Amino acid sequence: MPHRIAVLALDGLLPFELGIPQRIFGRSLGSDPRTKGRNLYEVVTCSVRPPGPVRTDADFTITVEHGPEALATADTVVIPASYELGPAYAEGRLTDELAAAFAHIRPGTRMVSICTGSYVLAAAGYLDGRPATTHWSSADHFQRLFPKVRVDPDVLFIDDGDVLTSAGVAAGIDLCLHIVRRDHGTAVANDVARRTVVPPHRDGGQAQYIQRPVPETQFAATTTARAWALGRLERPILLRDMAQQESMSVRTFTRRFREEVGVSPVQWLTRQRVERARQLLESTDLSIDQVARNAGFGTPTSLRQHLQAALGVSPTAYRRTFRAGRA
């Protein structure tokens, strides 16, 4: 029998994300002699209420033909994102209606969330003590609301066995392809990816999509040093040189800097140079050697090491991702 997947459609859902499981799982066909050409999954969409309309975040509603009882028949339950999560987002708890729907789910059912659908899994207790991810813009709020969850805001998805979570929006495609690959192998996943016209695997995580400029303090004792450093990122910058801009000892400057910015001067400099490299890779045709020099990393090797550590991708892969549209 095909593996049965129930997709829970919540009010305020995002139509794009709701369609991902049907597109990926619904197009997964067997490749071995026993299953060749047959659907490997059966996908049903259900609501927390009896069959009927469900609101979306667009200017239309959808009609769902299955109620919450469909969850009792699922081998895997997928929770896409919604902009109307209510108490799950605000207080970290399920509504009575959602809790009643979850009561249908059998023990051992594989649980999957796409984007902020992770709030529902966390509110239901599925993520306690586990690693998980969500959309990067919600990661800090998610961690504060659910301190028992080990949140990783940089990855595209996390597979923790029977509970899987994805980052925002299109990362749901990456997660669903991963599940197909895990269930049925690379050949089946690659076939679905080709017909969906998406890469079967993306380099790096969502860290490369996050802009993280260090906020500047309106008035602080190290403002002059930071402005001085930003104007010469391409040149060597020593800690004592920054301290001299504020007429402080290195020890005092380091302590003040950390109090004001939240990181050490060296960590701050590295972040600023990574941001400079990102800007150059996105907006110029400079060679990797030139980007490394202009960002202050000196050598392509140093640039690769720092970009890999910060973003999870190489300079070439980052440029390919963010220059493809212009090309």
Side-chain angles (χ1 to χ4, degrees):
M1 294 292 293
H3 184 100
R4 188 173 174 87
I5 293 178
V7 184
L8 185 58
L10 303 172
D11 282 326
L13 63 86
L14 285 67
F16 176 82
E17 297 182 27
L18 179 69
I20 290 173
Q22 177 62 52
R23 177 68 215 189
I24 301 301
F25 297 119
R27 299 296 188 274
S28 297
L29 304 177
S31 59
D32 61 42
R34 183 176 58 87
T35 62
K36 190 171 181 61
R38 291 170 49 190
N39 290 101
L40 298 172
Y41 300 92
E42 178 188 7
V43 184
V44 298
T45 304
C46 63
S47 170
V48 295
R49 299 183 296 271
V54 175
R55 294 190 305 275
T56 74
D57 76 327
D59 62 344
F60 58 84
T61 61
I62 63 169
T63 300
V64 176
E65 297 184 357
H66 302 276
E69 63 280 354
L71 297 171
T73 66
D75 301 302
T76 295
V77 171
V78 180
I79 316 291
S82 163
Y83 282 136
E84 298 181 23
L85 293 175
Y89 183 87
E91 304 169 34
R93 64 175 181 85
L94 300 179
T95 62
D96 291 343
E97 187 176 55
L98 194 49
F102 264 65
H104 290 278
I105 299 173
R106 296 173 298 174
T109 300
R110 182 166 60 186
M111 303 297 294
V112 177
S113 68
I114 297 176
C115 192
T116 55
S118 55
Y119 278 83
V120 177
L121 290 188
Y126 283 96
L127 300 181
D128 286 353
R130 290 179 178 264
T133 192
T134 190
H135 193 288
W136 61 264
S137 65
S138 298
D140 289 343
H141 175 264
F142 186 85
Q143 184 66 88
R144 291 194 302 271
L145 192 63
F146 303 107
K148 293 181 181 179
V149 182
R150 304 200 305 274
V151 181
D152 186 342
D154 293 337
V155 296
L156 290 174
F157 61 83
I158 288 179
D159 179 346
D160 196 40
D162 59 339
V163 179
L164 302 92
T165 53
S166 85
V169 197
I173 297 175
D174 298 284
L175 177 56
C176 290
L177 284 172
H178 167 77
I179 292 172
V180 173
R181 189 180 304 112
R182 191 179 99 170
D183 290 350
H184 299 287
T186 300
V188 174
N190 287 352
D191 178 64
V192 177
R194 288 191 192 97
R195 287 187 285 115
T196 310
V197 198
V198 296
H201 176 75
R202 279 197 286 170
D203 293 330
Q206 64 174 334
Q208 59 187 309
Y209 300 96
I210 306 172
Q211 288 190 330
R212 289 174 172 151
V214 176
E216 291 293 334
T217 309
Q218 291 299 314
F219 177 79
T222 62
T223 301
T224 300
R226 278 177 279 151
W228 175 83
L230 286 173
R232 51 180 293 131
L233 284 177
E234 73 283 0
R235 289 179 260 178
I237 298 175
L238 300 178
L239 185 55
R240 68 168 181 267
D241 296 331
M242 293 185 70
Q244 285 174 359
Q245 304 306 309
E246 306 291 358
S247 300
M248 296 180 187
S249 69
V250 169
R251 182 174 181 179
T252 300
F253 176 79
T254 301
R255 176 173 54 79
R256 291 276 185 88
F257 195 101
R258 187 179 287 277
E259 289 171 354
E260 293 167 9
V261 181
V263 295
S264 72
V266 173
Q267 290 172 317
W268 180 85
L269 270 175
T270 300
R271 289 186 184 181
Q272 298 300 329
R273 284 174 164 152
V274 167
E275 289 303 317
R276 173 71 62 82
R278 289 173 65 168
Q279 294 166 8
L280 294 173
L281 290 168
E282 291 181 26
S283 60
T284 75
D285 295 316
L286 295 175
S287 68
I288 301 300
D289 284 7
Q290 291 171 312
V291 170
R293 289 196 299 272
N294 288 355
F297 288 118
T299 67
T301 299
S302 178
L303 172 62
R304 276 193 292 272
Q305 290 173 343
H306 283 94
L307 223 64
Q308 188 73 45
L311 308 181
V313 292
S314 68
T316 301
Y318 184 86
R319 170 169 274 172
R320 184 169 59 243
T321 297
F322 288 94
R323 295 273 289 179
R326 288 185 57 176

